[in-house]
């Protein structure tokens, strides 16, 4: 049904209605600084099942639980290493998800049956207000994947959520509009179940930042833990994404601003910094799809830090759906 509530002004009333809706077992899509999430009460199995149906997501892919502050870790996780506390203190609220051994409160329907749970404190006023309002009425955390159909590009605006999901949401579900996401790429996921942290998915919190705060060497090593973001066909638009190749006339093109646009090519994004590249990438890919382009050529950014996360997503996008 396409008549789910679309709330473009996140007033106190709208937030309390959305929290009540979560408690009643409905879905609320909400903004975060990374991408928009599709949220449900993380303690309600029926509500969480609606997320999987709306996304068409396989049941064994775990969800991140969004909490209001690091005080919430103990409710969801057991065995919290000292380095994880350092990470939480330094980077929460922020674009970082920490994976711990789960507590008895993190049920199979959240973790996909795995013994671990992913937690994040998002850095967005609307997300934090929603988490807080919901907690006050008995919702201990909000389970939320990115608010897109499984395998598609994550949405960074409320309009993109509506285009992706409105036909799969019910009239009781809500989409909150908090403006465009400022980071634009999904959070860094860090496995905190081992002696030293492992990056499971690169993001805006970089290896260098993690090493500086923890004083530990971070390996990007393979992990036993399955991350659905590691599937090959992920983060993909309808168009074919081609990397490091000159675009032909009629094709879309994404590259740093100093790279010229060949004649007849449709420029989708011209960022002047790595941050802007991340922030605009998904909207540019969606733009290419809405213009019906069959091919989008992309020159990935070079360098370390956030550029690593951008190249990671582009590589997956280029492998197709
Ligand atoms: O920035 C983000 O992380 C966004 C916003 C909405 O918070 N969320 C997001 O969720 O990207 P999702 O479900 O699209 O991607 C989360 C990834 C999935 O690949 C999932 O497999 C992995 O996190 N994940 C969640 N819990 C995990 C766990 N316990 N162990 C390993 N991976 C986990
Ligand atoms: Mg996702």
């Amino acid at each position: 049904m396409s008549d789910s509530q679309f709330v473009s002004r996140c007033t106190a009333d709208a937030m309390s209605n959305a929290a009540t809706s979560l408690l009643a077992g409905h879905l609320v899509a909400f903004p975060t600084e990374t991408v928009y999430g599709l949220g449900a009460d993380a303690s309600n199995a029926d509500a969480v099942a609606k997320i999987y149906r709306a996304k068409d997501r396989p049941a064994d892919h775990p969800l991140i639980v969004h909490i209001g502050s690091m005080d919430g870790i103990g409710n969801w996780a057991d065995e919290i290493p000292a380095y994880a506390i350092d990470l939480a203190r330094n980077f929460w609220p922020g674009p970082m998800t920490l994976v711990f051994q789960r507590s008895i409160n993190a049920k199979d329907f959240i973790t996909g049956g795995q013994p671990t749970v992913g937690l994040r404190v998002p850095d967005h006023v609307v997300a934090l207000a929603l988490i807080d309002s919901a907690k006050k009425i008995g919702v201990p955390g909000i389970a939320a994947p990115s608010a897109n159909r499984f395998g598609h590009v994550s949405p960074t605006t409320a309009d993109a959520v509506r285009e992706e999901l409105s036909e799969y949401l019910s009239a009781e579900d809500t989409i909150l509009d908090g403006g465009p996401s400022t980071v634009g790429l999904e959070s860094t996921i860090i496995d905190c179940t081992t002696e030293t942290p492992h990056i499971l998915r690169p993001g805006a919190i970089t290896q260098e930042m993690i090493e500086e705060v923890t004083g530990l060497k971070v390996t990007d090593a393979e992990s036993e833990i399955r991350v659905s973001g590691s599937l090959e066909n992920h983060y993909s638009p309808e168009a074919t994404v081609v990397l490091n190749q000159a675009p032909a006339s009629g094709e879309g093109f994404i590259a740093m601003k100093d790279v010229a646009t060949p004649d007849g090519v449709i420029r989708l994004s011209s960022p002047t910094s790595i941050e802007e590249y991340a922030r605009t990438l998904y909207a540019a890919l969606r733009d290419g799809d809405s213009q019906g382009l069959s091919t989008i050529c992309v020159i990935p950014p070079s360098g370390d830090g956030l550029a690593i996360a951008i190249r990671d997503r582009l590589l997956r996008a280029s492998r197709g759906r």
Side-chain angles (χ1 to χ4, degrees):
M1 254 182 283
S2 55
D3 51 354
S4 64
Q5 283 189 62
F6 190 82
V7 181
S8 57
R9 288 176 64 242
C10 293
T11 57
D13 268 1
M15 300 310 290
S16 103
N17 289 343
T20 306
S21 179
L22 282 174
L23 182 65
H26 304 304
L27 302 182
V28 176
F30 61 95
T32 84
E33 81 283 26
T34 58
V35 299
Y36 273 67
L38 180 63
D41 177 350
S43 65
N44 181 336
D46 293 335
V48 169
K50 292 179 186 171
I51 294 178
Y52 285 84
R53 281 202 297 276
K55 282 189 60 110
D56 195 23
R57 178 173 164 126
D60 60 348
H61 288 276
L63 298 175
I64 296 169
V65 179
H66 295 71
I67 54 178
S69 76
M70 60 187 288
D71 295 346
I73 298 177
N75 183 56
W76 296 101
D78 287 339
E79 293 175 44
I80 298 136
Y83 69 76
I85 302 290
D86 291 337
L87 289 171
R89 279 218 179 94
N90 281 275
F91 300 127
W92 275 351
M96 176 183 76
T97 297
L98 301 180
V99 171
F100 298 106
Q101 295 298 334
R102 66 172 167 178
S103 76
I104 50 163
N105 297 321
K107 308 284 193 218
D108 282 347
F109 60 81
I110 291 295
T111 71
Q114 298 191 58
T116 57
V117 63
L119 302 177
R120 183 162 102 84
V121 180
D123 187 14
H124 193 293
V125 280
V126 172
L128 290 171
L130 179 67
I131 292 165
D132 189 49
S133 310
K135 186 161 184 237
K136 283 188 178 133
I137 57 173
V139 176
I142 303 179
S146 52
N148 52 276
R149 295 279 283 171
F150 185 67
H152 292 199
V153 176
S154 298
T156 54
T157 64
D159 278 329
V161 176
R162 187 161 51 171
E163 280 160 24
E164 272 283 316
L165 291 182
S166 53
E167 66 179 289
Y168 306 102
L169 298 178
S170 79
E172 290 78 32
D173 299 333
T174 307
I175 301 172
L176 295 174
D177 186 345
S181 298
T182 53
V183 173
L185 290 185
E186 304 81 359
S187 62
T188 305
I189 302 179
I190 306 170
D191 180 3
C192 298
T193 65
T194 47
E195 241 166 75
T196 57
H198 293 255
I199 297 176
L200 300 177
R201 179 175 71 184
I205 302 300
T206 64
Q207 180 172 341
E208 297 73 40
M209 292 161 80
I210 299 165
E211 288 181 343
E212 195 184 319
V213 157
T214 62
L216 297 168
K217 184 90 196 97
V218 176
T219 44
D220 208 342
E222 305 287 337
S223 173
E224 292 301 309
I225 301 173
R226 276 170 300 146
V227 178
S228 74
S230 298
L231 290 179
E232 295 209 338
N233 57 344
H234 227 71
Y235 308 105
S236 299
E238 300 282 350
T240 301
V241 173
V242 177
L243 303 183
N244 289 313
Q245 208 171 284
S249 185
E251 293 181 344
F253 189 42
I254 297 172
M256 294 294 282
K257 190 179 165 70
D258 57 2
V259 183
T261 311
D263 280 351
V265 163
I266 298 128
R267 190 66 177 243
L268 298 170
S269 178
S270 307
T272 56
S273 66
I274 298 294
E275 288 72 24
E276 188 185 353
Y277 200 124
R279 187 165 62 242
T280 56
L281 176 62
Y282 289 162
L285 293 173
R286 283 177 184 280
D287 183 15
D289 276 350
S290 61
Q291 295 190 50
L293 305 182
S294 59
T295 303
I296 301 174
C297 295
V298 186
I299 310 292
S302 53
D304 293 338
L306 187 56
I308 293 175
I310 297 172
R311 291 198 297 273
D312 169 79
R313 304 307 192 279
L314 283 172
L315 197 62
R316 297 173 201 290
S318 72
R319 287 173 179 156
R321 276 194 184 167

